[in-house]
Amino acid sequence: RAKAEGGSLAHCFEAAMDSWARSRRRRETDLHEAFARCDLALAYQPVVDVRARTIVGFEALLRWHHPAEGMVPPAEFVPLAEETGLIVPIGAWVLRQACAEASLWADPVRVAVNLSPVQFRDPGLVATVREALALSGLAPQRLELEVTESVLLAASEANVATLHALRDLGVRIAMDDFGTGYCSLSYLQKFPFDKIKIDRSFVSRLGEDPHSTAIVRAVIGLGASLGIVTVAEGVETEAQFAHLREEGCGEVQGYLFGRPSPATAARALMQREPDLAA
Ligand code: C2E
Ligand code: MG
Ligand code: MG
Ligand code: MG
């Protein structure tokens, strides 16, 4: 009997694996097609200067409008794009698209683009960034590249060299999701980042959880003493904003100031900017 059960369990497992593999393959084909058919788009979320309460930039965020399933969040398809290597051509498209869009904005307004660690395995990455800048005519200091700590985890020496080569183009480099990695502080020693983005998980508990509050204060202080701009992600309430302003945080990003939205909406938001001072 045990044997029969084992047999059926194995069968069950096999069937489950099979259907998992099939649905994954389908997703993979879908993603290939989406890229070919231009079902991918960028949404832009405003980044606001805390003291002036004005828009100083936008972060470009990938969106996939799946014909049958609707909006697929990047948390679901970016990992798939990374596993299949598709993130390299998609990432190149994101860079060109974001730079072209930003070249239409008023001069100092910047655009931030997320880079996957997989893009660092591509020897053409620096050339891709250089080309995106050249094609759009965007001044390099108006482009910010966001990397997570994982870039410094694997192949860290080669990746640090690439980060330096990227910065030699004149772009700024930001560390995204600061505080969520294993060893955030040591990464600041490996590469002199221009910017630290404090992860949303700390910001959302500001003023409620004493540990998160203390961590946010410490990171802002650290940024101040290292001369690195600090940005708080995921600011949703005026109370969080007031708290961050008191602590001396440089920039904020979050639903309080705007959700990621299509390029045309981002342009309109810039024109209505005084609304932010409300
Ligand atoms: P991220 O770079 O840390 O982006 C910030 C995420 O926080 C975005 O999620 C944004 O929509 C969300 N967010 C912003 N403000 C708020 C807020 O006030 N409340 C809440 N609850 N969420 C907020 P999104 O767009 O789903 O992107 C998730 C992640 O996917 C990004 O995290 C980034 O790691 C990755 N990603 C997005 N676009 C790209 C891309 O073009 N290339 C690569 N490699 N990764 C990307
Ligand atoms: Mg980011
Ligand atoms: Mg982030
Ligand atoms: Mg994040």
Side-chain angles (χ1 to χ4, degrees):
R1 215 188 135 216
K3 197 174 168 196
E5 256 174 26
S8 73
L9 194 64
H11 181 79
C12 231
F13 178 73
E14 228 167 75
M17 283 300 285
D18 229 48
S19 99
W20 175 82
R22 251 198 319 276
S23 78
R24 190 185 178 286
R25 262 198 309 276
R26 179 158 17 88
R27 261 287 162 90
E28 206 179 305
T29 315
D30 281 3
L31 186 57
H32 265 281
E33 278 173 11
F35 183 45
R37 274 203 322 242
C38 305
D39 286 346
L40 299 181
L42 292 180
Y44 296 87
Q45 183 179 38
V47 180
V48 170
D49 179 87
V50 171
R51 289 170 154 268
R53 213 166 162 140
T54 52
I55 295 175
V56 289
F58 285 87
E59 178 172 6
L61 295 156
L62 256 176
R63 295 290 178 263
W64 177 10
H65 303 282
H66 192 286
E69 288 167 47
M71 266 277 295
V72 186
E76 271 178 46
F77 71 88
V78 168
L80 181 63
E82 289 177 332
E83 283 165 43
T84 57
L86 251 186
I87 195 69
V88 170
I90 290 176
W93 173 82
V94 170
L95 280 161
R96 281 196 306 273
Q97 185 79 12
C99 289
E101 179 58 31
S103 74
L104 307 174
W105 303 342
D107 188 1
V109 180
R110 301 180 300 253
V111 69
V113 171
N114 294 283
L115 290 185
S116 154
V118 175
Q119 288 173 272
F120 280 77
R121 288 188 224 142
D122 166 26
L125 177 61
V126 178
T128 301
V129 174
R130 194 191 297 118
E131 276 162 29
L133 289 166
L135 281 170
S136 61
L138 187 75
Q141 61 273 16
R142 292 178 58 197
L143 174 63
E144 254 166 34
L145 300 174
E146 299 190 356
V147 299
T148 56
E149 296 162 346
S150 55
V151 161
L152 297 177
L153 203 69
S156 92
E157 294 209 347
N159 289 355
V160 167
T162 306
L163 284 172
H164 279 288
L166 287 169
R167 196 162 47 197
D168 288 346
L169 298 174
V171 307
R172 298 178 202 201
I173 313 287
M175 191 191 281
D176 208 348
D177 305 339
F178 188 82
T180 56
Y182 294 105
C183 212
S184 303
L185 282 180
S186 76
Y187 298 134
L188 292 178
Q189 204 177 29
K190 286 193 182 178
F191 183 78
F193 287 88
D194 301 290
K195 219 169 202 189
I196 294 174
K197 300 191 78 170
I198 306 168
D199 192 68
R200 176 157 59 88
S201 57
F202 303 107
V203 176
S204 65
R205 292 195 285 262
L206 250 186
E208 287 162 20
D209 166 39
H211 289 98
S212 300
T213 309
I215 289 168
V216 169
R217 169 175 295 168
V219 175
I220 293 170
L222 181 73
S225 46
L226 292 173
I228 302 176
V229 178
T230 43
V231 188
E233 299 187 307
V235 178
E236 294 184 353
T237 68
E238 285 289 349
Q240 290 166 347
F241 177 73
H243 197 121
L244 290 159
R245 192 181 46 215
E246 266 158 44
E247 297 289 350
C249 188
E251 297 173 2
V252 288
Q253 198 180 335
Y255 294 170
L256 180 63
F257 296 101
R259 297 199 172 232
S261 37
T264 48
R267 280 182 230 160
L269 183 65
M270 262 180 284
Q271 271 150 17
R272 290 190 272 112
E273 224 195 6
D275 287 9
L276 287 178

